[in-house]
Amino acid sequence: MTNSTAKLSTRPPRLAVLIDADNTSAKIASGLFEEIATIGEASVRRIYGDFTSTRSKGWTEVLSTYAIVPQQQFAYTIGKNASDITLVIDAMDLLHSGRFDGFCLVSSDSDFTRLASRIREEGVDVYGFGEQKTPESFRQACRRFIYTENLLPTAAANTDDAARPAPSLHPPSAAVPVIKRAIAQVESEDGWVALGTVGNQLANLAPDFDPRTFGFRKLSDLVRKTGAFDVDQPKDKAMRIRLKAPSPKKKSDKSA
């Protein structure tokens, strides 16, 4: 293997980042690209919208900071979204170039559901980023979906200490049903399942599952906080969890 081949094999996934400015706040810019950096390399960074509008002013102030290329779309007709159409056309052109390992679609608009599905049909990963109001159809069409509320500066600032709860969208107890479903789908003789295996199953089961949604940076801290699972971490071994056995019901004393 040549040195050049070795370098290519260790290169992070090449990503195309396409942002819908009409449906995304510029406040997430820093958190967005930090999150994308954990997935791969943002080789293409494009944003679509009417930047003559005051609504897009926030983005115009950060474009150069994050090397985002604006794709100006004038709003000639009310109710017609030229930005969405241009984004889709560009996405398909980039897809057929064969140069990308994944796409990051940043929008809360369900109109991009079919685009995400079409990209995945080609065997290319899609990572969605949008607000919690994003329709389920778009969220489920992505390999992984990240709520942009979790990328805001206030949320990031509170996650320096992974075990310390941060502002959350839902209480930890709301995560229990989906974690239980993930455990149930993993074969286990004694009920114990490696936490890493549970995390992988959660990604398959619910693309939008994220411990930060429940106030924690790590899945392990969230699991402990719920109190619904037994946790075991043998020395020098990976953590494992299982469902807690139901508490025995106390028999009430009846008078003779």
PDB file of all heavy atoms in Angstrom, residues 209-237:
ATOM      1  N   PHE A 209     -32.920   9.862  18.633  1.00  0.00           N
ATOM      2  CA  PHE A 209     -32.591   9.666  20.048  1.00  0.00           C
ATOM      3  C   PHE A 209     -31.250  10.306  20.360  1.00  0.00           C
ATOM      4  O   PHE A 209     -30.256  10.078  19.661  1.00  0.00           O
ATOM      5  CB  PHE A 209     -32.542   8.179  20.423  1.00  0.00           C
ATOM      6  CG  PHE A 209     -32.272   7.963  21.894  1.00  0.00           C
ATOM      7  CD1 PHE A 209     -33.328   7.922  22.791  1.00  0.00           C
ATOM      8  CD2 PHE A 209     -30.980   7.838  22.367  1.00  0.00           C
ATOM      9  CE1 PHE A 209     -33.084   7.752  24.150  1.00  0.00           C
ATOM     10  CE2 PHE A 209     -30.734   7.666  23.728  1.00  0.00           C
ATOM     11  CZ  PHE A 209     -31.791   7.625  24.622  1.00  0.00           C
ATOM     12  N   ASP A 210     -31.204  11.096  21.416  1.00  0.00           N
ATOM     13  CA  ASP A 210     -29.993  11.818  21.807  1.00  0.00           C
ATOM     14  C   ASP A 210     -30.055  12.065  23.308  1.00  0.00           C
ATOM     15  O   ASP A 210     -31.013  12.693  23.790  1.00  0.00           O
ATOM     16  CB  ASP A 210     -29.932  13.152  21.055  1.00  0.00           C
ATOM     17  CG  ASP A 210     -28.609  13.891  21.237  1.00  0.00           C
ATOM     18  OD1 ASP A 210     -27.942  13.673  22.253  1.00  0.00           O
ATOM     19  OD2 ASP A 210     -28.257  14.695  20.350  1.00  0.00           O
ATOM     20  N   PRO A 211     -29.082  11.589  24.082  1.00  0.00           N
ATOM     21  CA  PRO A 211     -29.104  11.819  25.536  1.00  0.00           C
ATOM     22  C   PRO A 211     -29.231  13.294  25.907  1.00  0.00           C
ATOM     23  O   PRO A 211     -29.811  13.630  26.939  1.00  0.00           O
ATOM     24  CB  PRO A 211     -27.759  11.244  26.000  1.00  0.00           C
ATOM     25  CG  PRO A 211     -27.423  10.211  24.981  1.00  0.00           C
ATOM     26  CD  PRO A 211     -27.927  10.760  23.678  1.00  0.00           C
ATOM     27  N   ARG A 212     -28.735  14.186  25.047  1.00  0.00           N
ATOM     28  CA  ARG A 212     -28.814  15.620  25.341  1.00  0.00           C
ATOM     29  C   ARG A 212     -30.249  16.120  25.377  1.00  0.00           C
ATOM     30  O   ARG A 212     -30.557  17.104  26.060  1.00  0.00           O
ATOM     31  CB  ARG A 212     -28.007  16.404  24.301  1.00  0.00           C
ATOM     32  CG  ARG A 212     -26.511  16.196  24.405  1.00  0.00           C
ATOM     33  CD  ARG A 212     -25.775  16.847  23.252  1.00  0.00           C
ATOM     34  NE  ARG A 212     -26.127  16.229  21.975  1.00  0.00           N
ATOM     35  CZ  ARG A 212     -25.543  16.541  20.830  1.00  0.00           C
ATOM     36  NH1 ARG A 212     -24.602  17.469  20.790  1.00  0.00           N
ATOM     37  NH2 ARG A 212     -25.905  15.937  19.709  1.00  0.00           N
ATOM     38  N   THR A 213     -31.135  15.437  24.659  1.00  0.00           N
ATOM     39  CA  THR A 213     -32.543  15.814  24.669  1.00  0.00           C
ATOM     40  C   THR A 213     -33.126  15.668  26.064  1.00  0.00           C
ATOM     41  O   THR A 213     -34.073  16.355  26.436  1.00  0.00           O
ATOM     42  CB  THR A 213     -33.330  14.934  23.678  1.00  0.00           C
ATOM     43  OG1 THR A 213     -32.781  15.127  22.368  1.00  0.00           O
ATOM     44  CG2 THR A 213     -34.809  15.290  23.654  1.00  0.00           C
ATOM     45  N   PHE A 214     -32.528  14.778  26.851  1.00  0.00           N
ATOM     46  CA  PHE A 214     -33.001  14.510  28.204  1.00  0.00           C
ATOM     47  C   PHE A 214     -32.082  15.107  29.267  1.00  0.00           C
ATOM     48  O   PHE A 214     -32.203  14.803  30.447  1.00  0.00           O
ATOM     49  CB  PHE A 214     -33.132  12.997  28.402  1.00  0.00           C
ATOM     50  CG  PHE A 214     -33.934  12.334  27.322  1.00  0.00           C
ATOM     51  CD1 PHE A 214     -33.305  11.760  26.222  1.00  0.00           C
ATOM     52  CD2 PHE A 214     -35.321  12.313  27.367  1.00  0.00           C
ATOM     53  CE1 PHE A 214     -34.038  11.166  25.203  1.00  0.00           C
ATOM     54  CE2 PHE A 214     -36.059  11.718  26.350  1.00  0.00           C
ATOM     55  CZ  PHE A 214     -35.418  11.156  25.268  1.00  0.00           C
ATOM     56  N   GLY A 215     -31.130  15.950  28.830  1.00  0.00           N
ATOM     57  CA  GLY A 215     -30.297  16.685  29.775  1.00  0.00           C
ATOM     58  C   GLY A 215     -28.935  16.106  30.068  1.00  0.00           C
ATOM     59  O   GLY A 215     -28.249  16.571  30.972  1.00  0.00           O
ATOM     60  N   PHE A 216     -28.496  15.088  29.295  1.00  0.00           N
ATOM     61  CA  PHE A 216     -27.207  14.454  29.586  1.00  0.00           C
ATOM     62  C   PHE A 216     -26.364  14.297  28.328  1.00  0.00           C
ATOM     63  O   PHE A 216     -26.883  14.023  27.248  1.00  0.00           O
ATOM     64  CB  PHE A 216     -27.417  13.088  30.256  1.00  0.00           C
ATOM     65  CG  PHE A 216     -28.007  13.197  31.630  1.00  0.00           C
ATOM     66  CD1 PHE A 216     -29.378  13.216  31.797  1.00  0.00           C
ATOM     67  CD2 PHE A 216     -27.194  13.320  32.746  1.00  0.00           C
ATOM     68  CE1 PHE A 216     -29.943  13.351  33.058  1.00  0.00           C
ATOM     69  CE2 PHE A 216     -27.744  13.449  34.009  1.00  0.00           C
ATOM     70  CZ  PHE A 216     -29.119  13.469  34.170  1.00  0.00           C
ATOM     71  N   ARG A 217     -25.080  14.447  28.492  1.00  0.00           N
ATOM     72  CA  ARG A 217     -24.163  14.299  27.368  1.00  0.00           C
ATOM     73  C   ARG A 217     -23.949  12.828  27.030  1.00  0.00           C
ATOM     74  O   ARG A 217     -23.793  12.465  25.865  1.00  0.00           O
ATOM     75  CB  ARG A 217     -22.823  14.951  27.732  1.00  0.00           C
ATOM     76  CG  ARG A 217     -21.834  15.038  26.597  1.00  0.00           C
ATOM     77  CD  ARG A 217     -22.207  16.132  25.635  1.00  0.00           C
ATOM     78  NE  ARG A 217     -21.248  16.304  24.565  1.00  0.00           N
ATOM     79  CZ  ARG A 217     -21.386  17.170  23.569  1.00  0.00           C
ATOM     80  NH1 ARG A 217     -22.445  17.949  23.523  1.00  0.00           N
ATOM     81  NH2 ARG A 217     -20.482  17.267  22.628  1.00  0.00           N
ATOM     82  N   LYS A 218     -23.916  11.980  28.051  1.00  0.00           N
ATOM     83  CA  LYS A 218     -23.620  10.561  27.856  1.00  0.00           C
ATOM     84  C   LYS A 218     -24.849   9.690  28.117  1.00  0.00           C
ATOM     85  O   LYS A 218     -25.642   9.970  29.024  1.00  0.00           O
ATOM     86  CB  LYS A 218     -22.486  10.113  28.782  1.00  0.00           C
ATOM     87  CG  LYS A 218     -21.139  10.759  28.491  1.00  0.00           C
ATOM     88  CD  LYS A 218     -20.102  10.217  29.454  1.00  0.00           C
ATOM     89  CE  LYS A 218     -18.722  10.803  29.192  1.00  0.00           C
ATOM     90  NZ  LYS A 218     -17.719  10.261  30.142  1.00  0.00           N
ATOM     91  N   LEU A 219     -24.960   8.619  27.339  1.00  0.00           N
ATOM     92  CA  LEU A 219     -26.048   7.667  27.538  1.00  0.00           C
ATOM     93  C   LEU A 219     -25.953   7.015  28.914  1.00  0.00           C
ATOM     94  O   LEU A 219     -26.968   6.784  29.565  1.00  0.00           O
ATOM     95  CB  LEU A 219     -25.999   6.597  26.441  1.00  0.00           C
ATOM     96  CG  LEU A 219     -27.021   5.469  26.539  1.00  0.00           C
ATOM     97  CD1 LEU A 219     -28.444   6.007  26.508  1.00  0.00           C
ATOM     98  CD2 LEU A 219     -26.810   4.463  25.406  1.00  0.00           C
ATOM     99  N   SER A 220     -24.749   6.747  29.375  1.00  0.00           N
ATOM    100  CA  SER A 220     -24.571   6.090  30.673  1.00  0.00           C
ATOM    101  C   SER A 220     -25.137   6.928  31.811  1.00  0.00           C
ATOM    102  O   SER A 220     -25.780   6.399  32.731  1.00  0.00           O
ATOM    103  CB  SER A 220     -23.080   5.817  30.926  1.00  0.00           C
ATOM    104  OG  SER A 220     -22.330   7.015  30.867  1.00  0.00           O
ATOM    105  N   ASP A 221     -24.923   8.254  31.746  1.00  0.00           N
ATOM    106  CA  ASP A 221     -25.450   9.123  32.805  1.00  0.00           C
ATOM    107  C   ASP A 221     -26.973   9.200  32.748  1.00  0.00           C
ATOM    108  O   ASP A 221     -27.635   9.243  33.785  1.00  0.00           O
ATOM    109  CB  ASP A 221     -24.853  10.523  32.678  1.00  0.00           C
ATOM    110  CG  ASP A 221     -23.350  10.532  32.913  1.00  0.00           C
ATOM    111  OD1 ASP A 221     -22.896   9.818  33.821  1.00  0.00           O
ATOM    112  OD2 ASP A 221     -22.632  11.238  32.182  1.00  0.00           O
ATOM    113  N   LEU A 222     -27.513   9.197  31.551  1.00  0.00           N
ATOM    114  CA  LEU A 222     -28.967   9.211  31.402  1.00  0.00           C
ATOM    115  C   LEU A 222     -29.574   7.935  31.965  1.00  0.00           C
ATOM    116  O   LEU A 222     -30.571   7.982  32.697  1.00  0.00           O
ATOM    117  CB  LEU A 222     -29.335   9.363  29.924  1.00  0.00           C
ATOM    118  CG  LEU A 222     -30.808   9.163  29.557  1.00  0.00           C
ATOM    119  CD1 LEU A 222     -31.692  10.177  30.279  1.00  0.00           C
ATOM    120  CD2 LEU A 222     -31.001   9.263  28.044  1.00  0.00           C
ATOM    121  N   VAL A 223     -28.976   6.784  31.630  1.00  0.00           N
ATOM    122  CA  VAL A 223     -29.488   5.498  32.102  1.00  0.00           C
ATOM    123  C   VAL A 223     -29.508   5.454  33.629  1.00  0.00           C
ATOM    124  O   VAL A 223     -30.486   5.015  34.250  1.00  0.00           O
ATOM    125  CB  VAL A 223     -28.642   4.344  31.537  1.00  0.00           C
ATOM    126  CG1 VAL A 223     -28.941   3.044  32.259  1.00  0.00           C
ATOM    127  CG2 VAL A 223     -28.895   4.181  30.035  1.00  0.00           C
ATOM    128  N   ARG A 224     -28.422   5.916  34.240  1.00  0.00           N
ATOM    129  CA  ARG A 224     -28.364   5.924  35.706  1.00  0.00           C
ATOM    130  C   ARG A 224     -29.446   6.827  36.297  1.00  0.00           C
ATOM    131  O   ARG A 224     -30.081   6.491  37.297  1.00  0.00           O
ATOM    132  CB  ARG A 224     -26.982   6.401  36.171  1.00  0.00           C
ATOM    133  CG  ARG A 224     -25.863   5.385  35.977  1.00  0.00           C
ATOM    134  CD  ARG A 224     -24.624   5.852  36.733  1.00  0.00           C
ATOM    135  NE  ARG A 224     -23.517   4.912  36.624  1.00  0.00           N
ATOM    136  CZ  ARG A 224     -22.526   5.013  35.746  1.00  0.00           C
ATOM    137  NH1 ARG A 224     -22.507   6.021  34.887  1.00  0.00           N
ATOM    138  NH2 ARG A 224     -21.556   4.118  35.716  1.00  0.00           N
ATOM    139  N   LYS A 225     -29.635   7.985  35.681  1.00  0.00           N
ATOM    140  CA  LYS A 225     -30.579   8.961  36.223  1.00  0.00           C
ATOM    141  C   LYS A 225     -32.009   8.450  36.189  1.00  0.00           C
ATOM    142  O   LYS A 225     -32.816   8.758  37.083  1.00  0.00           O
ATOM    143  CB  LYS A 225     -30.483  10.269  35.422  1.00  0.00           C
ATOM    144  CG  LYS A 225     -31.388  11.389  35.933  1.00  0.00           C
ATOM    145  CD  LYS A 225     -31.028  11.796  37.350  1.00  0.00           C
ATOM    146  CE  LYS A 225     -31.891  12.967  37.806  1.00  0.00           C
ATOM    147  NZ  LYS A 225     -31.559  13.376  39.198  1.00  0.00           N
ATOM    148  N   THR A 226     -32.370   7.661  35.199  1.00  0.00           N
ATOM    149  CA  THR A 226     -33.746   7.181  35.095  1.00  0.00           C
ATOM    150  C   THR A 226     -34.129   6.295  36.272  1.00  0.00           C
ATOM    151  O   THR A 226     -35.293   6.251  36.671  1.00  0.00           O
ATOM    152  CB  THR A 226     -33.963   6.379  33.798  1.00  0.00           C
ATOM    153  OG1 THR A 226     -33.158   5.189  33.839  1.00  0.00           O
ATOM    154  CG2 THR A 226     -33.610   7.205  32.580  1.00  0.00           C
ATOM    155  N   GLY A 227     -33.161   5.547  36.811  1.00  0.00           N
ATOM    156  CA  GLY A 227     -33.449   4.639  37.917  1.00  0.00           C
ATOM    157  C   GLY A 227     -34.231   3.412  37.502  1.00  0.00           C
ATOM    158  O   GLY A 227     -34.666   2.632  38.355  1.00  0.00           O
ATOM    159  N   ALA A 228     -34.408   3.229  36.198  1.00  0.00           N
ATOM    160  CA  ALA A 228     -35.233   2.116  35.706  1.00  0.00           C
ATOM    161  C   ALA A 228     -34.412   0.894  35.319  1.00  0.00           C
ATOM    162  O   ALA A 228     -34.972  -0.130  34.928  1.00  0.00           O
ATOM    163  CB  ALA A 228     -36.057   2.577  34.507  1.00  0.00           C
ATOM    164  N   PHE A 229     -33.081   1.000  35.433  1.00  0.00           N
ATOM    165  CA  PHE A 229     -32.213  -0.088  34.967  1.00  0.00           C
ATOM    166  C   PHE A 229     -31.135  -0.417  36.003  1.00  0.00           C
ATOM    167  O   PHE A 229     -30.655   0.455  36.733  1.00  0.00           O
ATOM    168  CB  PHE A 229     -31.535   0.318  33.652  1.00  0.00           C
ATOM    169  CG  PHE A 229     -32.498   0.767  32.588  1.00  0.00           C
ATOM    170  CD1 PHE A 229     -32.786   2.118  32.424  1.00  0.00           C
ATOM    171  CD2 PHE A 229     -33.143  -0.149  31.770  1.00  0.00           C
ATOM    172  CE1 PHE A 229     -33.684   2.550  31.462  1.00  0.00           C
ATOM    173  CE2 PHE A 229     -34.047   0.264  30.807  1.00  0.00           C
ATOM    174  CZ  PHE A 229     -34.324   1.615  30.654  1.00  0.00           C
ATOM    175  N   ASP A 230     -30.783  -1.710  36.057  1.00  0.00           N
ATOM    176  CA  ASP A 230     -29.611  -2.119  36.831  1.00  0.00           C
ATOM    177  C   ASP A 230     -28.385  -1.828  35.983  1.00  0.00           C
ATOM    178  O   ASP A 230     -28.379  -2.070  34.772  1.00  0.00           O
ATOM    179  CB  ASP A 230     -29.676  -3.616  37.147  1.00  0.00           C
ATOM    180  CG  ASP A 230     -30.773  -3.957  38.145  1.00  0.00           C
ATOM    181  OD1 ASP A 230     -31.011  -3.136  39.054  1.00  0.00           O
ATOM    182  OD2 ASP A 230     -31.391  -5.026  37.999  1.00  0.00           O
ATOM    183  N   VAL A 231     -27.344  -1.313  36.621  1.00  0.00           N
ATOM    184  CA  VAL A 231     -26.110  -0.955  35.921  1.00  0.00           C
ATOM    185  C   VAL A 231     -24.949  -1.727  36.525  1.00  0.00           C
ATOM    186  O   VAL A 231     -24.805  -1.790  37.747  1.00  0.00           O
ATOM    187  CB  VAL A 231     -25.833   0.562  36.018  1.00  0.00           C
ATOM    188  CG1 VAL A 231     -24.520   0.919  35.335  1.00  0.00           C
ATOM    189  CG2 VAL A 231     -26.978   1.351  35.404  1.00  0.00           C
ATOM    190  N   ASP A 232     -24.139  -2.326  35.676  1.00  0.00           N
ATOM    191  CA  ASP A 232     -22.985  -3.101  36.136  1.00  0.00           C
ATOM    192  C   ASP A 232     -21.774  -2.745  35.273  1.00  0.00           C
ATOM    193  O   ASP A 232     -21.869  -2.716  34.042  1.00  0.00           O
ATOM    194  CB  ASP A 232     -23.283  -4.602  36.019  1.00  0.00           C
ATOM    195  CG  ASP A 232     -22.100  -5.456  36.475  1.00  0.00           C
ATOM    196  OD1 ASP A 232     -21.526  -5.137  37.536  1.00  0.00           O
ATOM    197  OD2 ASP A 232     -21.766  -6.428  35.774  1.00  0.00           O
ATOM    198  N   GLN A 233     -20.675  -2.441  35.927  1.00  0.00           N
ATOM    199  CA  GLN A 233     -19.452  -2.139  35.186  1.00  0.00           C
ATOM    200  C   GLN A 233     -18.274  -2.853  35.847  1.00  0.00           C
ATOM    201  O   GLN A 233     -17.586  -2.297  36.690  1.00  0.00           O
ATOM    202  CB  GLN A 233     -19.198  -0.639  35.114  1.00  0.00           C
ATOM    203  CG  GLN A 233     -18.029  -0.281  34.193  1.00  0.00           C
ATOM    204  CD  GLN A 233     -18.009   1.183  33.810  1.00  0.00           C
ATOM    205  OE1 GLN A 233     -18.689   2.007  34.418  1.00  0.00           O
ATOM    206  NE2 GLN A 233     -17.224   1.524  32.797  1.00  0.00           N
ATOM    207  N   PRO A 234     -18.027  -4.122  35.441  1.00  0.00           N
ATOM    208  CA  PRO A 234     -16.890  -4.874  35.991  1.00  0.00           C
ATOM    209  C   PRO A 234     -15.578  -4.157  35.690  1.00  0.00           C
ATOM    210  O   PRO A 234     -15.467  -3.404  34.720  1.00  0.00           O
ATOM    211  CB  PRO A 234     -16.974  -6.220  35.245  1.00  0.00           C
ATOM    212  CG  PRO A 234     -18.386  -6.295  34.753  1.00  0.00           C
ATOM    213  CD  PRO A 234     -18.778  -4.892  34.456  1.00  0.00           C
ATOM    214  N   LYS A 235     -14.592  -4.392  36.497  1.00  0.00           N
ATOM    215  CA  LYS A 235     -13.293  -3.739  36.322  1.00  0.00           C
ATOM    216  C   LYS A 235     -12.708  -4.059  34.948  1.00  0.00           C
ATOM    217  O   LYS A 235     -12.676  -5.212  34.520  1.00  0.00           O
ATOM    218  CB  LYS A 235     -12.325  -4.211  37.413  1.00  0.00           C
ATOM    219  CG  LYS A 235     -11.011  -3.441  37.424  1.00  0.00           C
ATOM    220  CD  LYS A 235     -10.143  -3.882  38.578  1.00  0.00           C
ATOM    221  CE  LYS A 235      -8.829  -3.104  38.584  1.00  0.00           C
ATOM    222  NZ  LYS A 235      -7.945  -3.528  39.711  1.00  0.00           N
ATOM    223  N   ASP A 236     -12.280  -3.009  34.260  1.00  0.00           N
ATOM    224  CA  ASP A 236     -11.656  -3.126  32.932  1.00  0.00           C
ATOM    225  C   ASP A 236     -12.595  -3.718  31.874  1.00  0.00           C
ATOM    226  O   ASP A 236     -12.134  -4.252  30.864  1.00  0.00           O
ATOM    227  CB  ASP A 236     -10.366  -3.969  32.998  1.00  0.00           C
ATOM    228  CG  ASP A 236      -9.338  -3.359  33.927  1.00  0.00           C
ATOM    229  OD1 ASP A 236      -9.271  -2.123  33.998  1.00  0.00           O
ATOM    230  OD2 ASP A 236      -8.605  -4.125  34.579  1.00  0.00           O
ATOM    231  N   LYS A 237     -13.883  -3.644  32.111  1.00  0.00           N
ATOM    232  CA  LYS A 237     -14.847  -4.139  31.125  1.00  0.00           C
ATOM    233  C   LYS A 237     -15.894  -3.080  30.830  1.00  0.00           C
ATOM    234  O   LYS A 237     -16.073  -2.126  31.594  1.00  0.00           O
ATOM    235  CB  LYS A 237     -15.516  -5.426  31.622  1.00  0.00           C
ATOM    236  CG  LYS A 237     -14.583  -6.622  31.698  1.00  0.00           C
ATOM    237  CD  LYS A 237     -15.343  -7.887  32.055  1.00  0.00           C
ATOM    238  CE  LYS A 237     -14.414  -9.094  32.078  1.00  0.00           C
ATOM    239  NZ  LYS A 237     -15.153 -10.345  32.413  1.00  0.00           N
TER     240      LYS A 237
END
